[in-house]
Amino acid sequence: MAVQQSVGQDPYFPGNGDLRYRVHRYELTLDYRPAPNRLSGSARINAIAGRGQLTEFQLNLADFRVGRVKVDGRAAHYTHRGGKLRVRPAKPVRAGAAFTVEVQWSGNPRPVSSPWGGLGWEELEDGALVASQPVGAPSWYPCNDRPADKASYQIAVTTPSAYAVVAGGRLLTRTTKASTTTWVYEQAAPTSSYLVGLSIGKYQTVLLGAPGPGGVPQHGHIPAHLLPRFSRDFARQPAMMDLFQELFGPYPFDEYAVVVTEEELDVPVEAQGLSLFGSNHVDGARGSERLVAHELAHQWFGNSVSIADWRQIWLNEGFAKYAEWLWSERSGGRSAQQLAAAAHRSLSALPEDLRLADPGRKSMFDDRLYQRGGLALHAVRCALGDDAFFRMLRGWAALYRGGVVTTAAFTAHVARFSDEPLDELFDAWVYGTALPPLPSSGTRAAV
Ligand SMILES: [Zn+2]
């Protein structure tokens, strides 16, 4: 069941997204030439107007040349400045009415600059990579760029036949004509704009594990020379998938793919049905296995259950961090309690000025948010006990599958699995900034 909540403009990125309408499907047709780094695209966007009549609306799109914009088949007025495409339909769209926007654009895609460096479309030495979190999606396509506006996607990419195109979702067709190949992917599940991932490169494709009936197909796309290291580093991913399905409930999408790029990445990045790793994340010694678990866990927490706005990011990162600890605990490594203790020790040496519930834009990707988020979940687990805790997690993933969530929705959800009020726990861990004492399983319901 998808639960949609009404949400306001994102205070961290007030220039992104438009609350006056919602998109339910994007169809993107792209042509990309790696050597000149040239992208030309057309988008067909099916949307629904909100409560008011729509005399104008906005899409986010970086600095491309925009060819033509149509609304319901008629040429529309538009201006395109500062990453915003403002569209005025020839005829206003009625409140609540479905409408279609068509946009054509072309140019040399480049990352959107941000406090965290370039985001979105990145030209690689031999190919391209898209990793948009949080606001890089407009670097390659026009979108209503806010995480709560989730839509289905069809993405067709034409590129020279030497390259493989990997996008999250199911590969529908692959057609070669002369020297180019067109790859068509369908992602039917509701997807946030920042989670539309794409990679174009020279990859070898391997199947991980052997999915039985009802199993999740898992593919790896890797430069050939990294295959030996990849095979060892990702060997346990099918076991991880099994464990997470046991703990979190059914994997929310039809398939899962991982890409390892030829180049190094600061951190791996999750996309819908897809995770992107750098060559530095494979060492042949499972040195980054916790990140393999982290990115896989985001498919449940972040991608299927998505945040209503960026203030809620701990609901993505705290959960993915805790999944790392669960994988460790269940695969013969350190227990979640030991990892929680280590995280607690490291946090106790750092400033205590970060509030999980609203960390501020600057601290969205602060490692303290990840660690404290993991600890907050550990505190919930210690308070509820394992049985109720994992029922709570599976319930969370099932109830909000395909939807969006807030911290308030989470605390209300948890309360249903507890005999005692947990206000103190959430006040301390989620709404407060001081570091509470380390929770342990012996201290049920204690803060
Ligand atoms: Zn993460």
Side-chain angles (χ1 to χ4, degrees), residues 133 270 294-295 298 316-317 320 370:
Q133 190 182 37
E270 76 272 20
H294 181 107
E295 302 310 323
H298 271 312
N316 291 0
E317 299 306 345
Y370 291 58

Side-chain angles (χ1 to χ4, degrees), residues 21-299:
Y21 70 98
R22 302 194 36 188
V23 177
H24 61 91
R25 183 168 177 81
Y26 292 84
E27 288 171 3
L28 308 177
T29 304
L30 308 173
D31 188 294
Y32 182 65
R33 304 295 147 141
N37 183 39
R38 176 138 192 103
L39 178 70
S40 54
S42 65
R44 193 181 159 81
I45 302 170
N46 297 319
I48 297 171
R51 289 207 191 98
Q53 171 174 282
L54 218 49
T55 53
E56 69 132 57
F57 60 90
Q58 176 196 306
L59 289 155
N60 291 102
L61 178 65
D63 184 23
F64 289 97
R65 199 177 66 77
V66 172
R68 145 168 251 171
V69 179
K70 287 183 181 178
V71 176
D72 288 334
R74 297 176 65 179
H77 281 280
Y78 68 88
T79 61
H80 184 213
R81 264 194 298 275
K84 287 180 194 158
L85 183 64
R86 288 202 168 84
V87 180
R88 192 147 45 85
K91 193 170 147 236
V93 180
R94 278 182 300 111
F99 64 104
T100 302
V101 190
E102 292 164 84
V103 182
Q104 289 180 344
W105 70 100
S106 60
N108 302 110
R110 57 167 188 258
V112 171
S113 59
S114 84
W116 310 280
L119 303 171
W121 190 288
E122 191 170 349
E123 180 188 7
L124 302 180
E125 226 154 87
D126 196 14
L129 175 76
V130 171
S132 297
Q133 190 182 37
V135 286
S139 67
W140 64 293
Y141 73 100
C143 53
N144 191 9
D145 192 29
R146 56 193 194 91
D149 195 11
K150 301 173 75 170
S152 68
Y153 282 78
Q154 186 171 98
I155 302 175
V157 182
T158 300
T159 200
S161 298
Y163 295 88
V165 175
V166 183
R170 175 162 289 169
L171 179 62
L172 295 183
T173 58
R174 186 174 71 179
T175 316
T176 298
K177 263 191 213 152
S179 60
T180 63
T181 299
T182 300
W183 306 66
V184 182
Y185 282 90
E186 172 76 25
Q187 178 53 267
T191 302
S192 302
S193 47
Y194 82 91
L195 287 170
V196 184
L198 184 71
S199 181
I200 298 173
K202 292 177 177 157
Y203 298 128
Q204 205 144 318
T205 296
V206 295
L207 185 67
L208 280 161
V216 180
Q218 299 169 58
H219 286 96
H221 307 273
I222 317 107
H225 69 100
L226 294 177
L227 199 52
R229 287 196 250 162
F230 174 85
S231 302
R232 177 159 169 76
D233 289 357
F234 282 73
R236 299 210 289 182
Q237 187 184 278
M240 247 173 227
M241 179 69 86
D242 291 346
L243 176 67
F244 289 172
Q245 295 206 83
E246 176 196 327
L247 300 179
F248 310 150
Y251 178 75
F253 308 115
D254 292 334
E255 57 275 296
Y256 183 55
V258 294
V259 166
V260 179
T261 67
E262 189 71 66
E263 288 169 46
E264 301 197 347
L265 298 181
D266 290 345
V267 287
V269 188
E270 76 272 20
Q272 194 91 325
L274 171 69
S275 295
L276 308 162
F277 293 79
S279 57
N280 49 317
H281 299 122
V282 292
D283 59 5
R286 293 187 183 141
S288 298
E289 196 177 74
R290 72 169 185 87
L291 299 173
V292 177
H294 181 107
E295 302 310 323
L296 177 59
H298 271 312
Q299 301 301 323

